[in-house]
Amino acid sequence: MTDQTESIRRQMIQNINAVEGSRDYLEAKHGQVWDTSELQQEYSVEGFLAPLVLATRKSDGIRGTLKFQHSPRFYFGFEPE
């Protein structure tokens, strides 16, 4: 089985991790940012496919995706389905 999104995701990973983004940098660029424990408090994570996370927001049950950078690990850019 081939992953038709692999090349797109690889490019996204390179772009996201090209600059080590501090939390302040990511918040200025993308809005709200979560570390791993904050993400677990607000979302139920269903799966990872770097650099994306499929999750459901606990407060209202809305399902969507977030992006994440590798190091330091921060999540950002929630987009509802």
Side-chain angles (χ1 to χ4, degrees):
M1 182 171 169
T2 57
D3 179 0
Q4 296 178 351
T5 67
E6 184 174 3
S7 62
I8 295 166
R9 289 184 306 98
R10 284 183 186 269
Q11 185 62 49
M12 289 173 69
I13 291 167
Q14 285 180 336
N15 292 341
I16 289 170
N17 293 306
V19 176
E20 184 176 311
S22 67
R23 185 178 198 126
D24 291 338
Y25 169 82
L26 291 170
E27 285 175 343
K29 189 170 181 179
H30 301 285
Q32 188 168 3
V33 172
W34 299 266
D35 65 21
T36 301
S37 64
E38 293 166 339
L39 180 79
Q40 292 171 335
Q41 290 173 11
E42 291 194 38
Y43 293 89
S44 296
V45 174
E46 298 175 38
F48 284 84
L49 194 56
L52 303 170
V53 177
L54 178 61
T56 300
R57 194 165 45 200
K58 292 178 181 179
S59 65
D60 57 12
I62 293 178
R63 191 175 188 209
T65 58
L66 297 107
K67 294 178 184 142
F68 67 91
Q69 75 173 16
H70 178 65
S71 181
R73 181 64 62 98
F74 286 119
Y75 302 85
F76 54 89
F78 181 71
E79 292 187 31
E81 283 187 327

